[in-house]
Amino acid sequence: MNRSLNLIIVIIAVFISVCSCARLFSNVAIGSLCCGTTGVYDPATQECCAGTIVTKSATFVSCCGTRALTSGQSCCNNVVVNNPENLQCCGSSLISATQGCCNGRSFTTATQQCCADTGSIISITLTCCGTAGMQAGQTCCGGRGIDSATQQCCGGTAFTPAATTNNACCGNAVSGRVFTSTTQTCCTIGTTSVVATGTGTCCGLNTRIPSATEICCPDANSATARIVTNTAGTLQCCGTGSFNPTTQECCTTGDVNVAFAATVSAADKTECCYGPNSATVYNPVTETCCSLNGNSLAIDVPKNLVRCCANTLYDPNHQICCGETLSCGTSCCGNTGYFPDTEICCAGSVSQRENYDSCCDLTPYNSATHFCCINRLYERVPGFTESCCSDYYYNSAKKTCCASGTLDQSGDEPFGKRFVVCGDSCCAGVGYFKASQTCCGTRLYEADGDQSEDFKCCGSDIYDSTLDTTLCCCNAGGEIGSTCDN
């Protein structure tokens, strides 16, 4: 059998990147191994170290990065270091028994210590705090030591509390702020603390002087609370606003920051009707709630007889509201009403139904006589195994759809051009038959006579895998010594 394969065509596809992770080596010594795509080596006398071929000596131990490690040496951070005393590594150097390692640096354990949180080396007489450490009797504040007997830490800053300055901390040692208690107030909600101007009680994150003419709405513990004037003493909170319970009803939207005071005009008006700018109360049995021109409006018509469409009232028995637009019909097609029994909706466009049962983009069609590919209609051909190649209709039983560009993640549409070719498979945009041809990368090969399964691809090359003197080497995932078999 003739075991040679001839190259019949080479395609350099503009949109296809060829992987350089495979390389074919010929006339190699039997027993050789791959060192990535760098080359081949004799494992009896050589070793592959991170893609570099090195010579094995009699004292060879292992690889250290791209270099050979021998007895009497250590590999410290991929650096070969002579180590006849068998010391420990610290970074790229060695340390003795009296030393420690701190973030890749050596220190003397008898007089120094390592602060693990900062990687700092300090005296053993100190306590870890920042990069310099702190003395006994100190407190760590913002990465430095402060005198805990005379100072306090607030927001990472040291301050000296004194009766003469009236200084205090609003918050905590990490996120607090120093304030003057005689002219300012510290207000805290949850983990948020704010220094507010003036003295008094807190209303949320604001301060107020307790008074019969003010109320805090919705309550003092709310982050959105605000102070509301209550001169007559008759108001109550309605969300962050207020209302007079004797003449008004409080209508809220469920958001405590938005509330309306709606005037009560009758005892049977039990529900709120909201508009963007106002609210009112209404009787849900005898009235309909609408928002007209930005305002709430209760219409004296039962809601089973009238509806609101944007700013317009309409009879739902004769019209339909589609996208805030009034139309005739029983269903919506985009912003237009239509009658499904006599009309068909295609991508927001209405047409007479006639004998149409499907849509091809904006065009209605009869699926019994036509076939749609994206937005193009084709008359069905008897006997076709129907398929689409982008917007082209073809018989997939005899042809193949190939792409000159890379398919997207869904595999449905390419970024480049698609076209129909003869064959049962694609090779860089060219059709071919698997039974008699082989595609390697962007190259297409055809057998002379019977094609053997022993022929394999190595990147864009093809080779006889039964030959002991030929190796296909690849750098699969960075694994040195791996052999491609694709």
Side-chain angles (χ1 to χ4, degrees):
M1 180 182 64
N2 188 343
R3 299 183 65 84
S4 64
L5 288 170
N6 292 333
L7 174 66
I8 61 168
I9 187 168
V10 179
I11 304 101
I12 307 297
V14 176
F15 299 105
I16 297 179
S17 61
V18 181
C19 176
S20 60
C21 56
R23 185 178 176 188
L24 186 64
F25 294 91
S26 302
N27 301 319
V28 301
I30 296 176
S32 296
L33 297 177
C34 294
C35 183
T37 56
T38 302
V40 295
Y41 68 99
D42 180 1
T45 60
Q46 296 173 308
E47 187 59 65
C48 177
C49 295
T52 300
I53 299 174
V54 299
T55 301
K56 286 183 178 179
S57 66
T59 57
F60 176 82
V61 176
S62 64
C63 290
C64 179
T66 58
R67 298 180 60 188
L69 188 71
T70 61
S71 58
Q73 294 179 321
S74 290
C75 184
C76 298
N77 198 24
N78 281 337
V79 175
V80 176
V81 181
N82 291 325
N83 188 13
E85 299 178 9
N86 195 27
L87 302 178
Q88 297 295 316
C89 289
C90 180
S92 300
S93 304
L94 298 173
I95 57 174
S96 67
T98 60
Q99 293 179 307
C101 188
C102 183
N103 197 29
R105 296 182 299 149
S106 62
F107 67 95
T108 303
T109 55
T111 59
Q112 296 174 308
Q113 63 177 315
C114 176
C115 296
D117 57 341
T118 61
S120 301
I121 299 172
I122 63 172
S123 170
I124 59 173
T125 61
L126 302 177
T127 302
C128 289
C129 176
T131 58
M134 61 181 180
Q135 302 284 348
Q138 289 186 316
T139 299
C140 191
C141 181
R144 65 188 185 90
I146 64 172
D147 186 353
S148 55
T150 60
Q151 294 180 304
Q152 289 184 12
C153 186
C154 185
T157 301
F159 76 100
T160 303
T164 55
T165 59
N166 296 298
N167 285 345
C169 184
C170 180
N172 54 48
V174 177
S175 60
R177 178 184 168 189
V178 178
F179 73 105
T180 304
S181 59
T182 55
T183 59
Q184 297 172 310
T185 302
C186 174
C187 296
T188 301
I189 298 294
T191 59
T192 303
S193 296
V194 173
V195 175
T197 302
T199 58
T201 60
C202 292
C203 176
L205 297 177
N206 304 291
T207 58
R208 69 184 181 96
I209 300 173
S211 169
T213 62
E214 290 181 336
I215 55 176
C216 181
C217 297
D219 59 73
N221 296 321
S222 171
T224 58
R226 65 188 185 95
I227 301 167
V228 178
T229 301
N230 185 23
T231 305
T234 57
L235 302 182
Q236 293 181 8
C237 290
C238 181
T240 55
S242 61
F243 77 111
N244 188 334
T246 59
T247 59
Q248 296 175 307
E249 183 72 28
C250 176
C251 295
T252 63
T253 63
D255 183 349
V256 75
N257 293 309
V258 181
F260 303 100
T263 301
V264 175
S265 56
D268 58 354
K269 297 182 182 294
T270 58
E271 292 188 10
C272 292
C273 175
Y274 299 103
N277 304 319
S278 66
T280 188
V281 288
Y282 76 109
N283 186 332
V285 177
T286 61
E287 295 177 310
T288 298
C289 173
C290 285
S291 174
L292 298 178
N293 300 319
N295 295 311
S296 59
L297 181 64
I299 307 300
D300 193 18
V301 179
K303 59 184 177 182
N304 64 320
L305 300 178
V306 70
R307 295 285 188 277
C308 297
C309 185
N311 294 332
T312 306
L313 296 175
Y314 72 99
D315 183 351
N317 297 314
H318 297 89
Q319 292 176 300
I320 189 170
C321 182
C322 299
E324 298 190 348
T325 300
L326 277 177
S327 303
C328 293
T330 57
S331 297
C332 289
C333 179
N335 293 331
T336 303
Y338 79 108
F339 298 93
D341 291 339
T342 59
E343 296 173 311
I344 186 170
C345 172
C346 293
S349 176
V350 178
S351 303
Q352 291 300 310
R353 180 168 288 280
E354 299 178 358
N355 63 343
Y356 303 136
D357 60 4
S358 302
C359 294
C360 187
D361 196 23
L362 296 174
T363 306
Y365 72 99
N366 187 341
S367 60
T369 59
H370 287 76
F371 196 84
C372 177
C373 290
I374 301 183
N375 57 3
R376 292 182 63 181
L377 274 176
Y378 296 87
E379 195 170 326
R380 287 184 179 272
V381 178
F384 261 37
T385 302
E386 297 172 314
S387 296
C388 290
C389 184
S390 188
D391 62 349
Y392 185 77
Y393 171 71
Y394 77 105
N395 185 359
S396 60
K398 295 184 177 180
K399 293 187 177 182
T400 299
C401 177
C402 291
S404 63
T406 303
L407 292 177
D408 61 17
Q409 290 183 350
S410 66
D412 293 331
E413 283 300 318
F415 296 118
K417 181 181 178 182
R418 295 188 102 178
F419 48 92
V420 175
V421 294
C422 292
D424 56 18
S425 299
C426 297
C427 184
V430 173
Y432 76 101
F433 296 92
K434 286 184 177 180
S436 59
Q437 297 167 307
T438 299
C439 177
C440 295
T442 58
R443 294 180 180 177
L444 186 61
Y445 297 86
E446 187 170 294
D448 289 338
D450 296 332
Q451 184 175 3
S452 171
E453 294 182 357
D454 294 329
F455 284 100
K456 307 291 184 181
C457 289
C458 183
S460 292
D461 295 317
I462 197 166
Y463 71 105
D464 187 349
S465 61
T466 62
L467 298 178
D468 294 333
T469 57
T470 303
L471 272 182
C472 179
C473 298
C474 66
N475 192 9
E479 297 178 7
I480 304 304
S482 55
T483 302
C484 296
D485 188 14
N486 54 3

